[in-house]
Amino acid sequence: MLCSGSRKLKVLPRIMTADVSVATPVLRELDPATHLILSLFSKNHNIIFGFRIGPGLWDACTCIILLIFISVESEAMQKVVNSDYPGDVFLMSAPDDWHVHLRDGVALKTTVAHTARCFRRAVIMPNLDRPVTTLDEAMAYKARIEKARPQGLKFSPLMTLYLTEDTTAAQLRQAHSHGIFGVKYYPAGATTNSRSGVRNLERVMPALEAMAELQMPLLMHGEVADGEIDPFDREAVFIDRVLQPLLNALPQLKLVLEHITTEQAVACVRDTPSLGATITAHHLLYNRSALFRSGLQPDMFCRPVLQREHHRLALLGAATGGEKRFFLGTDSAPHGTKSKYCCCGRPGIYTAPFALELYTEAFARVDALDQLEGFACRHGSEFYGLPPNQEMITIKRMTQIVPDSYQLGDDRVVPLLAGQSVHWQI
């Protein structure tokens, strides 16, 4: 539910809902007002406090009583929204997704609708089957996304280029001048469609130097692709081998470590003022045990992988602690069942249909809903120097069942928690 107006407006109209968790506290707060009105009025609508009165005085008394009732009701709803029942319904600014995969072609009909449902802006990843490496390719991809955007939804795709060892400084200056948001760094072979990524950092240094000059963000997939390195250690090794030398060489480069998974990454961001980080909902909610529970779970396979519990707790502390250089990036990554459930299934978890609800659950579990708006709505825009969204959304506690799958072109995509419950609703 979207509504316009000042962020200071926190009083909602009466919510008519079958959700007992929302309705009960409201009714409990309004019960004295209800009893007041019932006690004042008898079945004869010309009698009040036992006295018979004329029509004019009756109308005046009615207005006064209704104003009292509205005041009490508004105060009660204010409590529901802001303090007494913060876990039931609350307002916040419309959020942004600073890292999402939409894929291409007919799949956009599904993926764009799911992301645009609640996010007003999203940084679009360029690792299509044919990577988006030039300005023309990025603008054409943006046009396809905008064409797939459901009518009436406000959604702006922020486009990126795929960094290769052939990318030139001139290409990046041209792209920046035409509004390309940033550049994505994939270590070659690290994840889906990363074959054209970077193998040798030295070969892309001229491009990175131009980006530092332009203050054009570099968005890094933070894993080494060395098959000799344990998959659960690849982010930490990347920080030591690649990220730290790059930060030393180009300290002025605006850099984001994407979908971080480890306490080493959290520490690195905290120690580096020029560095930001996105965090996914699934890395906040799950540790690596989810990947192996009751057998191998393809729907829990992603890159970077789910991590040990102490790493999850470090991410949760960073996300819910109000630290401004950690912000929302879903890394929602749809794959059809044909490529997901096979002998060499692709990494990626599709969270877009209920992304904000999943983040809300993660924050609610540690009693940190008061920090959700900063993480989801303000930190990313402040880091990137963009204005915050002015629209507001309402989130309420209400159980929903996640569909088993969605159409994805000529295939189906299975979302996270398919067939299970989420406990929040926008």
Side-chain angles (χ1 to χ4, degrees):
M1 171 178 155
L2 285 173
C3 53
S4 300
S6 169
R7 289 189 53 212
K8 295 181 180 179
L9 182 62
K10 294 294 186 181
V11 178
L12 298 177
R14 173 187 280 273
I15 295 177
M16 302 301 293
T17 175
D19 181 10
V20 176
S21 67
V22 175
T24 301
V26 177
L27 292 176
R28 184 165 58 245
E29 287 288 338
L30 300 186
D31 192 58
T34 304
H35 282 295
L36 171 63
I37 288 181
L38 291 176
S39 68
L40 295 178
F41 291 88
S42 74
K43 292 182 180 179
N44 185 333
H45 285 183
N46 288 97
I47 297 177
I48 184 167
F49 289 126
F51 295 96
R52 184 177 299 277
I53 60 175
L57 185 56
W58 169 263
D59 290 342
C61 291
T62 300
C63 289
I64 292 171
I65 292 167
L66 286 176
L67 285 172
I68 293 171
F69 181 79
I70 291 169
S71 176
V72 173
E73 181 172 7
S74 296
E75 183 179 354
M77 183 58 74
Q78 178 86 6
K79 290 179 181 179
V80 172
V81 172
N82 287 332
S83 58
D84 287 355
Y85 309 102
D88 290 322
V89 56
F90 58 94
L91 289 175
M92 72 178 205
S93 303
D96 300 303
D97 185 351
W98 300 104
H99 181 117
V100 69
H101 300 266
L102 298 179
R103 308 307 184 205
D104 203 2
V106 290
L108 292 174
K109 182 178 180 181
T110 296
T111 60
V112 174
H114 284 159
T115 292
R117 176 186 68 97
C118 65
F119 297 111
R120 292 297 149 267
R121 295 172 290 205
V123 177
I124 312 302
M125 294 298 105
N127 59 328
L128 305 181
D129 290 339
R130 179 180 176 181
V132 178
T133 60
T134 69
L135 172 62
D136 289 344
E137 290 171 347
M139 299 309 290
Y141 186 28
K142 180 179 182 180
R144 296 193 295 273
I145 293 169
E146 291 177 334
K147 184 177 180 180
R149 179 178 53 206
Q151 189 172 5
L153 290 183
K154 296 180 180 179
F155 173 69
S156 299
L158 305 176
M159 307 309 295
T160 62
L161 296 186
Y162 186 118
L163 183 67
T164 74
E165 294 181 358
D166 296 322
T167 302
T168 67
Q171 285 177 312
L172 296 181
R173 289 192 177 93
Q174 181 191 33
H176 183 262
S177 69
H178 285 78
I180 296 301
F181 180 78
V183 176
K184 183 61 185 282
Y185 178 111
Y186 290 103
T191 189
T192 301
N193 295 335
S194 61
R195 295 181 303 276
S196 301
V198 177
R199 289 176 169 79
N200 187 334
L201 185 64
E202 290 300 320
R203 293 176 183 171
V204 296
M205 285 304 292
L208 299 183
E209 288 167 358
M211 291 180 63
E213 176 188 334
L214 296 167
Q215 283 295 283
M216 191 177 192
L218 178 66
L219 317 176
M220 301 193 80
H221 181 109
E223 290 185 289
V224 294
D226 186 344
E228 299 300 316
I229 304 298
D230 188 310
F232 296 99
D233 296 330
R234 289 179 183 178
E235 182 174 272
V237 173
F238 178 88
I239 291 170
D240 290 339
R241 288 186 183 179
V242 180
L243 180 59
Q244 201 58 61
L246 178 58
L247 290 170
N248 294 338
L250 290 174
Q252 71 274 34
L253 179 64
K254 182 180 283 289
L255 199 152
V256 175
L257 191 55
E258 300 276 38
H259 40 56
I260 63 171
T261 66
T262 62
E263 58 188 10
Q264 289 94 328
V266 170
C268 185
V269 173
R270 285 173 174 160
D271 291 342
T272 312
S274 62
L275 182 61
T278 58
I279 305 178
T280 77
H282 44 281
H283 285 103
L284 292 177
L285 289 167
Y286 301 101
N287 62 33
R288 65 181 183 177
S289 296
L291 180 59
F292 305 107
R293 186 169 292 121
S294 301
L296 190 62
Q297 300 296 320
D299 294 322
M300 290 293 182
F301 176 43
C302 56
R303 291 273 181 85
V305 292
L306 297 174
Q307 278 284 359
R308 303 165 180 85
E309 177 65 3
H310 66 92
H311 290 303
R312 187 189 73 84
L313 293 175
L315 298 182
L316 196 58
T320 63
E323 299 176 69
K324 292 189 175 183
R325 286 184 287 111
F326 298 98
F327 37 90
L328 185 155
T330 64
D331 192 25
S332 179
H335 291 291
T337 57
K338 296 173 186 175
S339 60
K340 186 67 171 171
Y341 306 113
C342 58
C343 62
C344 192
R346 286 189 161 191
I349 297 178
Y350 191 48
T351 57
F354 294 91
L356 191 58
E357 290 88 339
L358 294 170
Y359 280 106
T360 304
E361 178 64 24
F363 277 64
R365 287 181 183 181
V366 293
D367 195 25
L369 287 176
D370 59 323
Q371 298 296 332
L372 179 61
E373 184 176 31
F375 176 80
C377 313
R378 294 197 305 271
H379 296 174
S381 60
E382 289 177 9
F383 182 86
Y384 286 120
L386 297 176
N389 296 313
Q390 295 302 308
E391 290 178 281
M392 306 291 286
I393 63 169
T394 303
I395 303 176
K396 59 184 177 180
R397 189 188 297 275
M398 180 176 285
T399 297
Q400 305 179 75
I401 303 300
V402 178
D404 291 333
S405 66
Y406 297 95
Q407 195 69 40
L408 191 72
D410 61 354
D411 202 347
R412 307 287 294 183
V413 59
V414 177
L416 182 65
L417 293 179
Q420 301 179 56
S421 299
V422 294
H423 304 294
W424 302 90
Q425 184 180 68
I426 300 172

